[in-house]
Amino acid sequence: MAEIINMPRLSDTMEEGVVAKWLKKVGDKVEEGDILAEIETDKATMEFESFHEGTLLYIGVEEGDGAPVDTLLAIIGNQGEDVSSLLNAAPASASVQEEKETPVAEVKAEAPVAEVSMAIPEGVEVVKMPRLSDTMEEGTVATWLKKVGEEVEEGDILAEIETDKATMEFESFYSGVLLHIGIEEGGTAPVDEVLAVIGPKGTDVDSVLKAFQSGGAATTISSETTENVSHETVTVTSEAPVVNNGERIFASPLAKKIASEKGIELSQVTGTGENGRIVKKDVENFTPSSKPESAPVAEEKAKADKTPAYVAPFVPAGEESFEDVKNSQMRKVIAKRLGESKFSAPHYYLTIEVDMDNAIASRKIINELPDVKVSFNDMVVKACAMALRRHPQVNTTWNGDTTRYNKHIHVGVAVAVEDGLVVPVLKFADQMNINEIDIRVRDLAGKARNRKLTPQEMEGSTFTVSNLGMFGIVEFTSIINQPNSSILSVGTIVQKPVVRNGEIVVGNTMKVTLACDHRTVDGATGAQFLQTLKAYLENPVTMLA
């Protein structure tokens, strides 16, 4: 009896899936537990195994194509079994509709329905631009670590790819020779664009690319682009370090940054990473060796000493000049997401002033304990997590027809980095004590500044805290980090005259501003949340109860 296999729901938010690769072909035997295909969801590419035994009779979604959850994916049954009645009864995907337009009496292993006129040769793999974060729509190739013609082993780092959130190493899942590079260093392309081709030496790359295109893939390469790509050399941008003999130096982005900050020439550093690649520890452990200057170098230095100092010419007032700097992936995504949030969610703002005298005294006592160090921001995060538990309306997500009440509390903490802003997430923050929050925040902030955050560490926030108090900002408003319903803006602690018991005394106060999405959080609800937050911060002992 033939069994219909539908597109599975492989994550809680998955609405459709893309077949990245079929591991079985029409006519192949399938055992229960065999991996049928690799399916790309909204979060990851996952293996999908069969729960049935038999012969793969029909494929409903080709490689590279997407289809909604529960759409016909495949049919498994007995060899030679007639499945035309199942095709007529099954929910129709685009590919099924195309099959219906052609009369089909029966689908047999001897005449596979999924066959295409052009096939990619066995052992050849087309590598596409990966989706390395949940919000990534396009990527920029920062550095190629392999050149066309080089051997590639499974697990080797192919390239460093700049996403909207970080520069990440992308490793190969295949072994062979790097036959083709589809996106040069510095080039930007959408997710699923052809990144590279790996296979046996001597493979006809043009035919592979044409076969890939004819397979119905979502991405294409024009013939003009294919003809212009060199299969022997990789263009090196001016940003890549070069040694005296003209060869490129392979180094991680973090190693380059540390070397630049310390004034270290990477050409003098010996790499201990893969294929002699320079990594962070190589730069940190580097000790310059004093070498006698060669005659040409000494001569050049002597000439430089005799040359009068260069004096910049006077620039008259009113002369116009500018410089266009290419926007990073992170900056473009920040612009897009914040624009969407500001213009889709009706923001309103509530500000309250908090007496921080007790918080200052409590923090001083806590930090006198051995191996403990907390900040005021840690106290704010803890107070927010506890207040969210008492005001679940603020811990929500607007979904159009429904409002999702999140039972868990994941607090995002905005961290400024060189190219913009990232928001690492403290999962289940309400279950942490203040010291645990401090340790976790420091760890995530360090990773953020070194561009080492993983996508999982930036996903899933239900509320966000943004603190500019360390820059002396007294009060400000933030744009909501969707899909959150609110974000708290935290100012600096200010010493000022306050009235206590009818007398003017010196006090320490801090202003916090709550930005709310009016679709989910009403004004009274936001105000009550701030009252609870204020009570926790003004009496820190209540957060220890």
Side-chain angles (χ1 to χ4, degrees), residues 102-169:
T102 304
V104 179
E106 57 182 23
V107 182
K108 297 185 179 181
E110 291 78 13
V113 178
E115 288 290 332
V116 294
S117 57
M118 298 181 67
I120 295 175
E122 186 175 354
V124 177
E125 299 291 344
V126 177
V127 182
K128 296 183 284 187
M129 174 65 76
R131 187 183 301 278
L132 297 175
S133 79
D134 58 326
T135 57
M136 178 178 172
E137 295 181 358
E138 61 181 9
T140 298
V141 177
T143 307
W144 277 102
L145 302 180
K146 295 287 185 180
K147 292 183 287 189
V148 170
E150 288 189 347
E151 287 285 342
V152 177
E153 297 293 332
E154 184 177 349
D156 283 356
I157 305 301
L158 276 181
E160 292 170 352
I161 296 178
E162 180 186 346
T163 74
D164 55 319
K165 295 181 176 177
T167 298
M168 305 175 71
E169 294 179 336

Side-chain angles (χ1 to χ4, degrees), residues 363-415:
R363 177 174 177 264
K364 182 178 179 182
I365 294 172
I366 292 171
N367 285 346
E368 288 175 352
L369 298 173
D371 301 322
V372 176
K373 184 174 179 61
V374 301
S375 67
F376 292 113
N377 193 63
D378 301 327
M379 292 183 168
V380 172
V381 171
K382 177 63 175 177
C384 286
M386 295 181 66
L388 287 169
R389 183 62 64 200
R390 293 180 57 181
H391 300 278
Q393 187 79 37
V394 182
N395 199 45
T396 53
T397 298
W398 174 262
N399 286 332
D401 293 334
T402 63
T403 296
R404 175 173 295 168
Y405 283 76
N406 299 298
K407 304 296 184 181
H408 55 280
I409 294 175
H410 294 347
V411 179
V413 180
V415 176

Side-chain angles (χ1 to χ4, degrees), residues 8 20 44 60-61 80 138 152 260 308 312 331 349 400 419 475 496 536 539:
V61 183
E138 61 181 9
V152 177
S260 175
R331 177 55 57 190
Y349 305 94
D419 292 337
E475 181 181 359
K496 59 184 284 189
Y536 282 133
N539 301 280

Side-chain angles (χ1 to χ4, degrees), residues 488-534:
L488 187 76
S489 307
V490 183
T492 190
I493 297 175
V494 176
Q495 199 171 59
K496 59 184 284 189
V498 297
V499 177
R500 288 203 186 102
N501 300 322
E503 296 182 354
I504 298 177
V505 297
V506 177
N508 294 277
T509 66
M510 179 180 75
K511 288 186 178 180
V512 295
T513 299
L514 184 69
C516 300
D517 183 343
H518 218 320
R519 296 173 300 180
T520 51
V521 182
D522 293 328
T525 304
Q528 291 163 1
F529 172 86
L530 285 179
Q531 289 291 339
T532 301
L533 180 70
K534 175 182 171 76

Side-chain angles (χ1 to χ4, degrees), residues 268 288-294:
Q268 300 176 10
S289 57
S290 58
K291 297 189 294 184
E293 293 180 342
S294 62

Side-chain angles (χ1 to χ4, degrees), residues 109 113 120 146 180 241 262 281 371 447 449 473 534:
V113 178
I120 295 175
K146 295 287 185 180
H180 171 76
K262 293 187 175 183
K281 67 178 181 179
D371 301 322
K447 287 184 177 181
R449 295 187 181 101
I473 302 301
K534 175 182 171 76

